[in-house]
Coordinates of all heavy atoms in Angstrom, one line a residue:
Chain H
A21 N 98.0 126.0 174.0 CA 99.0 125.1 174.6 C 99.9 126.0 175.5 O 100.4 125.5 176.5 CB 99.8 124.4 173.6
M22 N 100.2 127.2 175.1 CA 101.0 128.1 176.0 C 100.2 128.5 177.2 O 100.8 128.6 178.3 CB 101.4 129.4 175.2 CG 102.4 129.2 174.1 SD 104.1 128.7 174.8 CE 104.1 127.0 174.2
A23 N 98.9 128.7 177.1 CA 98.1 129.0 178.3 C 98.1 127.8 179.2 O 98.2 127.9 180.5 CB 96.6 129.3 177.9
L24 N 98.0 126.6 178.7 CA 98.0 125.3 179.5 C 99.2 125.2 180.4 O 99.1 124.9 181.5 CB 97.9 124.1 178.5 CG 98.0 122.7 179.2 CD1 96.7 122.5 180.0 CD2 98.2 121.6 178.2
I25 N 100.4 125.6 179.8 CA 101.6 125.4 180.6 C 102.0 126.7 181.4 O 102.9 126.8 182.1 CB 102.8 125.0 179.8 CG1 103.2 126.0 178.7 CG2 102.5 123.6 179.1 CD1 104.5 125.7 178.0
G26 N 101.2 127.8 181.1 CA 101.4 129.0 181.9 C 102.5 129.9 181.3 O 103.1 130.7 182.0
A27 N 102.8 129.7 180.1 CA 103.9 130.5 179.4 C 103.4 131.9 179.0 O 102.2 132.1 178.6 CB 104.5 129.8 178.2
A28 N 104.3 132.9 179.1 CA 103.9 134.3 178.7 C 104.9 134.8 177.8 O 106.1 134.6 177.8 CB 103.9 135.1 180.0
L29 N 104.4 135.7 176.9 CA 105.2 136.3 175.9 C 105.7 137.6 176.5 O 104.9 138.5 176.9 CB 104.4 136.7 174.7 CG 105.0 137.2 173.4 CD1 106.0 136.2 172.8 CD2 103.9 137.5 172.4
T30 N 107.0 137.8 176.7 CA 107.5 138.9 177.5 C 108.2 140.0 176.6 O 108.1 141.1 176.9 CB 108.5 138.5 178.5 OG1 109.5 137.6 177.9 CG2 107.8 137.7 179.6
T31 N 108.9 139.5 175.5 CA 109.6 140.5 174.7 C 109.3 140.2 173.2 O 109.4 139.0 172.8 CB 111.1 140.4 174.9 OG1 111.4 140.6 176.3 CG2 111.9 141.3 174.1
V32 N 109.0 141.2 172.4 CA 108.8 141.1 171.0 C 109.6 142.2 170.3 O 109.1 143.3 170.3 CB 107.3 141.1 170.6 CG1 107.2 140.9 169.1 CG2 106.5 140.1 171.3
K33 N 110.7 141.8 169.7 CA 111.4 142.8 168.9 C 111.7 142.1 167.5 O 111.4 140.9 167.3 CB 112.8 143.1 169.6 CG 112.6 143.8 170.9 CD 113.9 144.3 171.5 CE 114.7 143.2 172.0 NZ 115.9 143.7 172.9
P34 N 112.1 142.9 166.5 CA 112.3 142.3 165.2 C 113.3 141.2 165.2 O 114.5 141.4 165.6 CB 112.8 143.5 164.4 CG 112.3 144.7 165.1 CD 112.4 144.4 166.5
G35 N 112.8 140.0 164.9 CA 113.7 138.8 164.9 C 114.2 138.3 166.3 O 115.1 137.6 166.4
H36 N 113.5 138.8 167.3 CA 113.9 138.4 168.7 C 112.6 138.4 169.6 O 112.0 139.4 169.8 CB 114.9 139.5 169.2 CG 115.3 139.3 170.6 ND1 116.7 139.2 171.0 CD2 114.7 139.1 171.8 CE1 116.8 139.0 172.3 NE2 115.6 138.9 172.8
V37 N 112.4 137.2 170.1 CA 111.2 137.1 171.0 C 111.6 136.3 172.2 O 112.4 135.4 172.2 CB 110.1 136.3 170.2 CG1 109.0 135.7 171.1 CG2 109.4 137.3 169.2
E38 N 111.0 136.7 173.4 CA 111.2 135.9 174.6 C 109.9 135.4 175.2 O 108.9 136.1 175.2 CB 112.0 136.8 175.6 CG 113.4 137.1 175.1 CD 114.3 137.9 176.1 OE1 113.9 138.0 177.3 OE2 115.3 138.4 175.6
V39 N 110.0 134.2 175.7 CA 108.8 133.6 176.4 C 109.3 133.2 177.8 O 110.3 132.5 177.9 CB 108.4 132.3 175.6 CG1 107.4 131.5 176.3 CG2 107.9 132.7 174.2
A40 N 108.5 133.6 178.8 CA 108.8 133.2 180.2 C 107.9 132.1 180.6 O 106.7 132.0 180.3 CB 108.6 134.4 181.0
L41 N 108.4 131.2 181.4 CA 107.7 130.1 182.0 C 107.9 130.0 183.5 O 108.9 129.5 184.0 CB 108.2 128.8 181.3 CG 107.4 127.5 181.8 CD1 106.0 127.5 181.1 CD2 108.1 126.3 181.4
P42 N 106.9 130.5 184.3 CA 107.0 130.4 185.7 C 107.0 128.9 186.1 O 106.3 128.1 185.5 CB 105.8 131.1 186.2 CG 105.3 132.0 185.1 CD 105.7 131.2 183.9
Y43 N 107.8 128.6 187.1 CA 107.8 127.2 187.6 C 106.4 126.7 188.1 O 105.7 127.4 188.8 CB 108.8 127.0 188.8 CG 108.8 125.6 189.3 CD1 109.5 124.6 188.7 CD2 108.0 125.3 190.4 CE1 109.5 123.3 189.1 CE2 108.0 124.0 190.9 CZ 108.7 123.0 190.2 OH 108.7 121.7 190.7
R44 N 106.1 125.5 187.7 CA 104.9 124.9 188.2 C 105.2 123.4 188.4 O 105.8 122.8 187.5 CB 103.7 125.0 187.3 CG 103.0 126.3 187.4 CD 101.7 126.4 186.6 NE 101.3 125.3 185.8 CZ 100.6 125.4 184.7 NH1 100.1 126.5 184.3 NH2 100.2 124.3 184.1
D45 N 104.7 122.8 189.5 CA 104.9 121.4 189.8 C 104.4 120.5 188.7 O 105.0 119.4 188.4 CB 104.3 121.1 191.1 CG 104.6 119.8 191.6 OD1 105.9 119.5 191.7 OD2 103.7 119.0 192.0
D46 N 103.4 120.9 188.0 CA 102.7 120.0 187.0 C 103.5 120.1 185.6 O 103.0 119.5 184.6 CB 101.3 120.3 186.8 CG 100.9 121.7 186.4 OD1 101.9 122.5 186.2 OD2 99.8 122.0 186.1
L47 N 104.6 120.7 185.6 CA 105.4 120.7 184.3 C 106.6 119.8 184.4 O 107.4 119.8 183.5 CB 105.9 122.2 184.1 CG 104.9 123.3 184.0 CD1 105.5 124.6 183.8 CD2 103.9 123.0 182.9
T48 N 106.7 119.0 185.5 CA 107.9 118.2 185.7 C 107.8 116.8 185.2 O 106.8 116.3 184.9 CB 108.1 118.2 187.2 OG1 107.0 117.6 187.9 CG2 108.4 119.6 187.8
Q49 N 109.0 116.2 185.1 CA 109.2 114.8 184.7 C 109.4 114.0 186.0 O 109.2 114.5 187.1 CB 110.3 114.6 183.7 CG 111.5 115.5 183.8 CD 112.5 114.9 184.7 OE1 112.3 114.9 186.0 NE2 113.7 114.5 184.2

Side-chain angles (χ1 to χ4, degrees):
Chain H
M22 287 294 109
L24 177 69
I25 65 172
L29 187 63
T30 51
T31 301
V32 181
K33 293 190 288 194
H36 178 125
V37 162
E38 295 184 14
V39 170
L41 184 73
Y43 177 82
R44 277 187 1 207
D45 190 49
D46 61 355
L47 304 176
T48 56
Q49 38 84 293

